[in-house]
Amino acid sequence: MKYGFIGCGNMGSALAGALSRITTDIAVCDRNPEKAKALAEKYKLQATDLQEVCESCERIFLAIKPQGLDKLADDIYDIIVKNRPVIITMLAGVNTATVGRLFSEELPVIRIMPNTPVGVGEGVVLYCGNAFADEALINDFLNDMQFAGSLIKLDEELIDAGCAVSGCGPAYMYMMADAVAAAGEKCGIERNTAVRLAALTMLGSARMMLESEKSPEQLKTDVCSPGGSTIEGVKVLKNASFKDTVSSAVEAAYRRNRELGGN
Ligand SMILES: NC(=O)c1ccc[n+]([C@@H]2O[C@H](COP(=O)([O-])OP(=O)(O)OC[C@H]3O[C@@H](n4cnc5c(N)ncnc54)[C@H](OP(=O)(O)O)[C@@H]3O)[C@@H](O)[C@H]2O)c1
């Protein structure tokens, strides 16, 4: 098979779904076989076991938590070294050199850092490859991943930082949306409508950032008419050190990524 997934959790499922729009030549496995079965049924893939994925797939996604990598490598080392598949890792903090050390230094390794919106085709997928992942392989992989969202090449030493921004980022955006919606609810708007308004506002604001030439700071200022209502809300956020707090959150995620990779 062309692709295999080890792990059918949040990220593995979302990526397998995006990939299935190009090819269903995909085998999936999970420690919990029911998860693999449900994913395979949803996208017409093949549910199988770890051994079979490693034996039959040309390109294998590692979609488990970083903490489980050493044990997994022990379990599949012999088959990987024999079959030499391309390894596609999305494990936070784990770099291509570590994957090479665990299996074989000369294995082609593509490192990606996706986020959960790949599940709706609007993800950010950062990527880089080691010296054995040649241009033809990377281009074919990017073509297969086109329905995941925006595919952005980043130097490997920046992937941990990118992960803290775009990999973890959806959580911060959801927290912001939840807070805005909760306030809307307090002011009398029904919950579902308030969440929808918050989500659509994020979507439109994101488009403005991408399509206008203006900085986020300038776009914010454009909303703040003097003597108006937005400026009152912005003052509250400034007094609560909003920017520093969010920056600290992203930096904490970055530090954790470094720790997970043993740095
Ligand atoms: N979630 C995100 O937004 C996100 C973003 C960027 C990168 N990532 C990276 O993506 C990876 C997966 O994250 P996730 O959120 O999808 O985790 P998850 O929901 O916990 O999914 C991992 C799945 O793999 C299974 N698994 C663990 N060890 C296995 C093994 N040896 N063989 C087969 N299946 C195994 C787990 O089973 P159990 O439940 O039994 O452990 C679980 O079903 C992580 O390395 C993370 O750093 C995640």
Side-chain angles (χ1 to χ4, degrees), residues 176-197:
M176 181 74 186
D178 186 52
V180 169
E185 215 181 342
K186 253 196 206 165
C187 300
I189 303 175
E190 185 259 331
R191 172 81 189 163
N192 288 343
T193 305
V195 171
R196 191 169 158 74
L197 294 183

Side-chain angles (χ1 to χ4, degrees), residues 6-12 29-32 35 50 62-66 72 75 90-92 113-116 163 167:
I6 300 176
C8 300
N10 296 312
M11 226 39 260
C29 75
D30 193 278
R31 202 147 55 184
N32 176 350
K35 272 195 199 172
L50 182 60
L62 303 181
I64 64 165
K65 296 283 190 206
L72 176 71
D75 292 345
M90 66 189 75
L91 278 60
M113 189 42 63
N115 64 11
T116 52
C163 175

Side-chain angles (χ1 to χ4, degrees), residues 5-109:
F5 278 80
I6 300 176
C8 300
N10 296 312
M11 226 39 260
S13 306
L15 282 166
L19 207 54
S20 72
R21 294 181 61 187
I22 292 286
T23 175
T24 51
D25 196 13
I26 302 172
V28 298
C29 75
D30 193 278
R31 202 147 55 184
N32 176 350
E34 289 306 312
K35 272 195 199 172
K37 201 167 154 238
L39 178 62
E41 271 168 18
K42 188 168 176 191
Y43 296 112
K44 302 194 174 18
L45 316 177
Q46 191 177 312
T48 182
D49 57 26
L50 182 60
Q51 178 88 8
E52 181 71 23
V53 163
C54 296
E55 270 173 3
S56 67
C57 297
E58 292 164 25
R59 301 174 184 180
I60 299 178
F61 281 86
L62 303 181
I64 64 165
K65 296 283 190 206
Q67 295 88 335
L69 180 60
D70 287 344
K71 164 82 173 66
L72 176 71
D74 281 348
D75 292 345
I76 63 176
Y77 177 84
D78 290 339
I79 327 177
I80 297 294
V81 169
K82 181 166 163 266
N83 289 359
R84 311 191 59 74
V86 175
I87 300 288
I88 302 155
T89 172
M90 66 189 75
L91 278 60
V94 177
N95 60 26
T96 55
T98 300
V99 176
R101 253 193 319 277
L102 284 172
F103 295 104
S104 154
E105 299 287 355
E106 289 175 13
L107 219 54
V109 181

